[in-house]
Amino acid sequence: MSKDALIIVDMQNDFCEGGPLEVPGAMEIIPIINRLIDKLELVIATQDYHPPNHCSFVSQWPVHCVAGTEGAELNKGLKTDRIKHFVRKGTSKDKEAYSGFQGTELSTILDSKGIETIYLCGLATDVCVKATALDGLSKGFRVIVISDAVRGVTKETGEAAIEEMKREGVEFTESGSLEGE
Ligand code: VGL
Ligand code: ZN
């Protein structure tokens, strides 16, 4: 098992099938993520976790991931037994937080375990995965996105986000290459 961390980004009901911000293909990555969960030493899940009057609901996004609601829960298809930390972001009314590092204890958790490399999977490639990846780089982590275990809001914006992340120094791999590590 690799002594790196897997960060599962926002695999919540509101971003999955039937949710107000459904990301196309979200359900397809659940079994892939479930296999990844056993490959890494430390597994962390982030949750978009907004108050009911969050600023992003005014003009940017439909109401989603309201704290305490079913929509903010992780999809029940996801295997949660090895998830050690649940990191909630976007919890203040007036602040948007796409990155799992923003206003959270994520980097403290990673630093306290001596983690240097983080693997990212989840939703959405062009929003919270990208923000978490770029923030991870700026905090000095080696960041590897598992390309078959992420999905974007649209094909175009997802692809553009991948290009941008590559330019910034984010690495990419396939879930299969982690098997047996
Ligand atoms: C996200 C839109 C709004 C995400 C969060 O998790 O990608 N997208 N809030
Ligand atoms: Zn949000």
Side-chain angles (χ1 to χ4, degrees):
M1 202 179 283
S2 158
K3 206 189 169 334
D4 304 322
L6 177 69
I7 301 176
I8 304 168
V9 178
D10 299 5
M11 284 304 298
Q12 296 163 270
N13 291 320
D14 278 351
F15 297 124
C16 291
E17 198 166 55
L21 261 173
E22 177 176 349
V23 178
M27 303 307 284
E28 296 165 8
I29 65 175
I30 291 175
I32 302 173
I33 295 173
N34 284 342
R35 285 193 293 273
L36 286 168
I37 280 173
D38 291 323
K39 306 292 175 205
L40 291 115
E41 179 83 14
L42 177 65
V43 184
I44 298 171
T46 67
Q47 284 175 287
D48 209 35
Y49 216 73
H50 300 312
N53 54 352
H54 189 247
C55 56
S56 79
F57 302 162
V58 178
S59 54
Q60 203 151 19
W61 306 106
V63 174
H64 65 280
C65 297
V66 173
T69 66
E70 183 64 20
E73 293 305 310
L74 296 182
N75 188 277
K76 65 178 185 306
L78 201 68
K79 217 170 69 138
T80 53
D81 56 311
R82 287 204 63 247
I83 301 175
K84 201 58 173 279
H85 300 273
F86 297 85
V87 170
R88 293 171 169 177
K89 64 185 170 64
T91 57
S92 314
K93 170 182 174 288
D94 299 316
K95 259 187 235 136
E96 184 55 286
Y98 291 143
S99 159
F101 288 98
Q102 201 179 333
T104 73
E105 67 282 23
L106 182 55
S107 63
T108 308
I109 294 168
L110 296 170
D111 288 340
S112 74
K113 312 266 190 215
I115 300 287
E116 292 176 355
T117 299
I118 56 175
Y119 286 86
L120 301 187
C121 60
L123 306 169
T125 315
D126 43 335
V127 188
C128 290
V129 172
K130 182 178 93 171
T132 305
L134 297 180
D135 242 9
L137 285 183
S138 76
K139 294 190 184 299
F141 296 99
R142 179 180 179 201
V143 181
I144 306 177
V145 171
I146 302 163
S147 50
D148 55 328
V150 292
R151 289 293 184 276
V153 174
T154 68
K155 187 170 180 284
E156 294 71 27
T157 52
E159 285 170 358
I162 288 169
E163 288 317 306
E164 183 183 345
M165 286 188 272
K166 283 182 179 165
R167 277 199 304 276
E168 299 295 329
V170 175
E171 297 169 61
F172 286 79
T173 191
E174 299 276 323
S175 62
S177 69
L178 274 113
E179 303 291 339
E181 234 184 88

